[in-house]
Amino acid sequence: MSELRTGQVRNLVLATAAFAVTFWAWNLIGPLSGSYGGQLGLSQTQLSLLVAIPVVVGSLGRIPMGMLADRYGGRRMFAAVCFVSIVPVLFTGWSHSYGWLLFWGFVLGIPGTSFAVGIPFVNAWYEPARRGFATGVFGAGMGGTALSAFCTPVLVEAFGRAFTHALMAVALAVTGLVMLGIGRDSPRWTPATAPAWPRIREAMTLKATWQSAFLYAVAFGGFVAFSTYLPTLLQNVYRYAQTGAGLRTAGFSIAAVLARPLGGALSDRIGPVKVLLIAFGGTTVMALVLALQPPAEVPAGASFVLMALFLGLGTGGVFALVARLVEASRVGTVTGLVGAAGGLGGYFPPLVMGAVYAATGAYTIGYALLAVTALVTLTYTMRAFRGIEQH
């Protein structure tokens, strides 16, 4: 027990830092969308596809990554993700054609799979009553998207794209080595030795898996969609420069990052269902406000920040709910499936928003679709989890 307590904080911090670094790598393309569009003469549809493409592998890859984490442990799998991610990070920085950018952008989804490694890794270190807090703190590592949104355009302007990507590759190598050298798997953790596909099939028979996947597709998918596509949206609607759009996108991501551990902690206190109801209700309202295209800075900025806060609360609440509904031995596999759904939830909105803007010159229809989706999710949450113990 003493070994468990002394290792909790250190390994939670390491996992959160590794999550942040890999998410920065995952989001290297989005903040530079404006320059890619200008240099390559891309249409809105082509640009939307380029921004969204890393999400595919980053989403679907979470399924096998969750199983591998159950089998080999989070320490080794975090290091593996960091080391393998170096290749697409470097080649994305060296690519100068749309075709190669799409290919390496697809492979750049690998660092986005780290989420499915971290959740079971952190869960094993903490007792059930504190897992909402622990997974919420770990989830704050999605602030890597904020670091990317703010720092990547600045670094590229100062040193060039190839150097910036090389710097990211070094950060990944250092993170992987630190995880191997200092990180430890929980003494509670035992390797899952059962064959992988039966575990997936078993996880897919759980009602909680599909319920959580749906909720996470809306909450985390919304966050991913905004964090990757917001630079493009802000440049199109409010005519910000690439660095200005990146700075404001970083503010959005930071708000969501701060809200995620709050969502986990509140879930421990008042129950995850109440947190999710607040999150989806607020998302509905903010989507309707943004559909009116409020003026720049204070009205629009405040609306985006509030949207981020509600989505962040939702992401924290979903995995607090998973910790209550799913036994610890299945968390890694279920997390992989739920995480995949969340990532895929972030793949389609940029494509929809790009198509809507190309057709109408505005994003009103896209926001309206988000409001309807959030309202449907709110209603489902209210009905599906009515009988769940809240305390």
Side-chain angles (χ1 to χ4, degrees):
M1 183 61 72
S2 60
E3 182 184 357
L4 189 69
R5 288 179 178 173
T6 55
Q8 284 179 336
V9 174
R10 181 180 74 245
N11 286 283
L12 178 58
V13 170
L14 287 173
T16 304
F19 186 30
V21 172
T22 52
F23 253 45
W24 183 341
W26 192 35
N27 191 40
L28 280 171
I29 290 179
L32 303 178
S33 59
S35 61
Y36 285 132
Q39 292 168 9
L40 302 175
L42 304 181
S43 67
Q44 286 296 319
T45 301
Q46 289 175 312
L47 194 58
S48 298
L49 181 61
L50 180 62
V51 168
I53 200 69
V55 178
V56 177
V57 173
S59 306
L60 297 178
R62 293 178 182 185
I63 298 174
M65 202 59 68
M67 294 186 300
L68 290 170
D70 281 345
R71 188 174 184 86
Y72 296 108
R75 170 178 163 270
R76 282 186 284 183
M77 291 311 303
F78 258 129
V81 169
C82 288
F83 295 146
V84 173
S85 298
I86 290 172
V87 175
V89 164
L90 288 175
F91 277 96
T92 304
W94 297 336
S95 297
H96 295 283
S97 71
Y98 183 63
W100 280 115
L101 277 172
L102 277 181
F103 175 78
W104 288 113
F106 180 82
V107 186
L108 193 63
I110 291 172
T113 65
S114 64
F115 177 78
V117 175
I119 288 292
F121 177 78
V122 168
N123 259 344
W125 275 105
Y126 283 82
E127 57 275 15
R130 298 189 65 205
R131 284 176 183 162
F133 160 78
T135 56
V137 171
F138 167 74
M142 67 187 190
T145 59
L147 291 172
S148 183
F150 177 71
C151 297
T152 300
V154 175
L155 288 171
V156 168
E157 285 193 7
F159 304 108
R161 181 156 58 95
F163 179 87
T164 300
H165 281 244
L167 195 63
M168 186 74 252
V170 171
L172 286 165
V174 170
T175 302
L177 291 172
V178 169
M179 283 301 299
L180 283 178
I182 303 177
R184 294 291 181 270
D185 290 305
S186 169
R188 285 178 177 164
W189 174 76
T190 54
T193 56
W197 289 113
R199 282 190 282 129
I200 285 189
R201 288 197 298 269
E202 183 183 16
M204 292 179 70
T205 63
L206 299 176
K207 185 178 181 181
T209 300
W210 295 104
Q211 291 174 320
S212 303
F214 170 58
L215 300 180
Y216 203 59
V218 177
F220 185 70
F223 166 76
V224 170
F226 272 105
S227 62
T228 56
Y229 192 71
L230 194 54
T232 303
L233 185 151
L234 292 175
Q235 290 174 75
N236 285 339
V237 177
Y238 298 107
R239 306 303 175 190
Y240 289 120
Q242 182 167 275
T243 51
L247 175 63
R248 287 161 178 81
T249 302
F252 175 92
S253 297
I254 289 170
V257 165
L258 294 175
R260 181 159 188 160
L262 177 61
L266 281 176
S267 296
D268 289 340
R269 181 175 292 272
I270 66 173
V273 176
K274 288 180 182 177
V275 172
L276 290 170
L277 292 177
I278 293 169
F280 295 127
T283 300
T284 303
V285 174
M286 286 302 102
L288 293 174
V289 171
L290 288 169
L292 301 175
Q293 197 173 314
E297 299 305 345
V298 177
S303 300
F304 281 119
V305 168
L306 286 172
M307 173 71 81
L309 287 171
F310 287 124
L311 291 172
L313 285 175
T315 58
V318 170
F319 276 95
L321 183 64
V322 169
R324 293 195 179 195
L325 297 178
V326 179
E327 60 185 81
S329 62
R330 296 176 174 176
V331 166
T333 305
V334 171
T335 294
L337 293 168
V338 174
L344 287 176
Y347 173 71
F348 296 103
L351 301 180
V352 173
M353 294 294 262
V356 165
Y357 187 79
T360 67
Y363 291 107
T364 305
I365 295 175
Y367 286 127
L369 290 172
L370 174 59
V372 171
T373 301
L375 183 60
V376 169
T377 311
L378 170 69
T379 304
Y380 175 78
T381 304
M382 194 180 302
R383 293 182 177 179
F385 303 104
R386 184 178 300 168
I388 288 184
E389 183 69 34
Q390 296 290 296
H391 298 285

